[in-house]
Amino acid sequence: MSSVQSIGSNKWKTVLNTRRIGWFILIVALLFRVGKAYATKSIPIYGDMVHYNHSALFLLLHHVYTYWGSGPAAQITPGYPLFLAAMYAVGRLFSPNVHVWIHMALMGQAVLSAWSVYLLYRLSLRLTPAWGAVLAALLFLTYPTAIWSPLTLLTETLYVFTLLLFVTAFFRALEKPLLRRFFLAGLLLGLCTLVRPTVFPLIIAPVLLFLQSAYRRQMGRSLRNWAIYVIGFILPMFPWWIRNEVVFHKLILTDEDAGNPLLYGTTRRFLNDPALGRGLSPKQQEHLALVRIGQQFAHHPWQSLQWYTVDKLQLLFSTPWYLGQPSHTFTGHLLNFWLHAHLVWVILGSIGLILGLQKLMGRWLTALVFYFVLVQLPFIPINRYVYPVMPFFFIGVAYFLYFAYTRGQRQLLTNQQNRKDPQDEDKTWGLNT
């Protein structure tokens, strides 16, 4: 009985220690991220940031959801503009100055980024011991893009946060398939889809569970889990669907902006061919993109296959998404060195994710990363779009090192067992004679 109590006590000590480490990581991340945001007094607004800022301001001041005009629009899903408008509303309580509102948004994003580091730590514990989870969290904490992106008015910080929330909730549902866990996972998937619709097809993720015999034997329960998962997904999406039906008299499941990145993903000159989609509606751009893809594979199949696989993967992952300029100081040189380590994390992370296929959670994580990479290949190959999967590569790095460590320890133990002590050989020889 005492041995059982001892085992239980040790288990709870381990759980308590991992939680303490997690809270310590969260505190460090908050101090680091919020401190950086607080010190940033102003940011340049350009590109998509102009439209997100306009959308949030128009929503807050005129109560109309738009993107680049003044009338109702559905070019993008409303998750990020709603977040920005909420942050601006908080900032307006303290000052009528728009710059203060933007600064409040940066502070909010800093908090979300810090929580993302903590979520990554908790998620990593499913594949590695505590030291591996700490390593994954520290890599993400110090990754230059993860430091810089919360200081921009772009979707990435909110998307990474909601994505990690969803993946964590989904993994918890896999570990213990309760209805409330599947409902929460579906709800978080819906919220994540409102930020970036790339995750929308993951609504069928629980169907993959039927590949396991255990779930097929419990068909009724598994179908109920999936149904409650879908219901959870619909709840946050439903107001968006109703709004689009009322305003545009048609069902828009996510957004109407997919045609543009799909069209420019059909050309290697995507950065220098502004006339390709000029004057075309989103639907016309999508139609032209599909026509071009069909023609490319019909007339140049091997070149097209190379473009949509090897070439795009190189453009997506060979460099990190980072538009800041390192200064000519010691810190700037250190940052530049750390930026160049990006490809190391991608390579080691990929190896670690492949090695992780031997574990159930590793298989799910690798499948998720494979999906996020695969779904991006038809579109414009900009490294910004694959930044949200970098946290999973950091888990892969941690698992690769954990795998190498355990393999080395096992090999060392085997060598020690195979090495014979000369004194033992003498004794054996004496007994035999």
Side-chain angles (χ1 to χ4, degrees):
M1 184 69 178
S2 60
S3 62
V4 174
Q5 291 177 343
S6 177
I7 293 173
S9 176
N10 290 335
K11 179 181 178 181
W12 280 110
K13 284 181 180 179
T14 302
V15 171
L16 185 61
N17 286 335
T18 55
R19 286 180 179 175
R20 286 173 176 171
I21 294 171
W23 288 118
F24 177 76
I25 289 174
L26 177 59
I27 292 171
V28 171
L30 282 169
L31 291 174
F32 185 42
R33 291 284 196 266
V34 175
K36 184 72 175 175
Y38 182 78
T40 303
K41 300 304 180 184
S42 62
I43 62 168
I45 297 179
Y46 52 89
D48 288 345
M49 288 190 279
V50 175
H51 305 307
Y52 289 129
N53 180 56
H54 169 75
S55 179
L57 288 173
F58 217 84
L59 184 62
L60 179 64
L61 300 176
H62 302 286
H63 310 292
V64 176
Y65 179 68
T66 186
Y67 185 53
W68 52 50
S70 58
Q75 276 97 345
I76 61 168
T77 46
Y80 187 64
L82 283 170
F83 168 79
L84 273 187
M87 291 294 99
Y88 288 0
V90 174
R92 190 165 63 166
L93 296 176
F94 300 94
S95 171
N97 192 327
V98 175
H99 293 290
V100 175
W101 306 359
I102 294 175
H103 196 244
M104 183 62 66
L106 300 187
M107 296 288 285
Q109 290 186 158
V111 173
L112 294 184
S113 181
W115 272 100
S116 296
V117 174
Y118 172 76
L119 288 171
L120 182 64
Y121 166 78
R122 298 296 304 178
L123 193 60
S124 302
L125 288 172
R126 288 170 166 81
L127 280 177
T128 70
W131 65 263
V134 170
L135 174 63
L138 287 178
L139 287 174
F140 188 45
L141 176 65
T142 59
Y143 184 55
T145 306
I147 298 172
W148 169 76
S149 62
L151 307 178
T152 65
L153 298 183
L154 294 170
T155 61
E156 274 65 30
T157 300
L158 181 62
Y159 177 60
V160 168
F161 174 69
T162 54
L163 178 61
L164 288 172
L165 274 178
F166 160 69
V167 174
T168 301
F170 187 75
F171 278 20
R172 291 184 74 245
L174 295 179
E175 291 166 345
K176 193 173 183 180
L178 302 175
L179 284 176
R180 64 176 180 272
R181 292 193 174 190
F182 275 97
F183 176 78
L184 179 60
L187 182 71
L188 292 171
L189 178 64
L191 292 174
C192 191
T193 303
L194 287 174
V195 180
R196 186 178 288 181
T198 308
V199 297
F200 179 81
L202 293 180
I203 192 173
I204 67 168
V207 176
L208 299 178
L209 291 172
F210 293 113
L211 297 175
Q212 298 176 230
S213 59
Y215 285 88
R216 289 197 299 270
R217 288 195 297 267
Q218 299 180 345
M219 183 68 72
R221 181 179 179 182
S222 299
L223 289 174
R224 285 196 300 273
N225 289 338
W226 185 28
I228 201 70
Y229 175 83
V230 173
I231 291 172
F233 172 81
I234 290 174
L235 281 181
M237 296 295 298
F238 196 67
W240 175 241
W241 295 341
I242 294 298
R243 178 262 186 187
N244 291 335
E245 181 66 36
V246 171
V247 174
F248 302 108
H249 309 293
K250 61 181 178 179
L251 177 62
I252 301 174
L253 290 177
T254 54
D255 60 29
E256 294 187 315
D257 201 36
N260 184 270
L262 184 64
L263 177 59
Y264 281 90
T266 64
T267 174
R268 295 176 185 270
R269 299 179 61 251
F270 58 90
L271 295 177
N272 302 298
D273 197 2
L276 183 61
R278 184 174 295 164
L280 300 179
S281 68
K283 282 296 181 183
Q284 290 172 329
Q285 290 184 350
E286 183 178 349
H287 175 72
L288 178 59
L290 295 176
V291 170
R292 285 173 60 88
I293 292 172
Q295 291 176 343
Q296 287 168 351
F297 276 94
H299 296 95
H300 307 285
W302 294 114
Q303 294 91 327
S304 299
L305 182 62
Q306 179 181 340
W307 166 239
Y308 283 97
T309 54
V310 177
D311 293 347
K312 284 198 176 185
L313 285 173
Q314 182 180 356
L315 290 169
L316 289 169
F317 287 103
S318 60
T319 58
W321 174 53
Y322 186 83
L323 300 180
Q325 295 296 325
S327 60
H328 297 289
T329 62
F330 173 77
T331 305
H333 290 304
L334 184 63
L335 174 61
N336 191 48
F337 167 78
W338 205 235
L339 274 171
H340 283 81
H342 162 82
L343 197 55
V344 176
W345 311 138
V346 172
I347 294 172
L348 293 184
S350 299
I351 297 172
L353 289 170
I354 293 172
L355 293 173
L357 289 171
Q358 60 188 317
K359 291 191 173 184
L360 177 61
M361 291 302 166
R363 288 194 289 272
W364 277 100
L365 189 64
T366 303
L368 278 173
V369 173
F370 179 78
Y371 161 75
F372 285 124
V373 174
L374 184 67
V375 77
Q376 196 58 51
L377 292 181
F379 297 94
I380 186 170
I382 296 178
N383 51 15
R384 171 188 166 190
Y385 295 147
V386 294
Y387 158 67
V389 301
M390 283 306 298
F392 305 127
F393 280 102
F394 293 138
I395 297 178
V397 172
Y399 186 77
F400 169 78
L401 295 177
Y402 170 62
F403 180 87
Y405 171 77
T406 53
R407 180 61 63 89
Q409 289 291 99
R410 194 179 301 120
Q411 186 62 44
L412 181 62
L413 182 61
T414 301
N415 292 340
Q416 290 176 344
Q417 291 174 344
N418 292 337
R419 190 184 300 121
K420 294 182 179 179
D421 189 338
Q423 295 181 355
D424 292 340
E425 291 182 358
D426 293 342
K427 293 175 182 178
T428 305
W429 175 257
L431 289 173
N432 290 337
T433 56

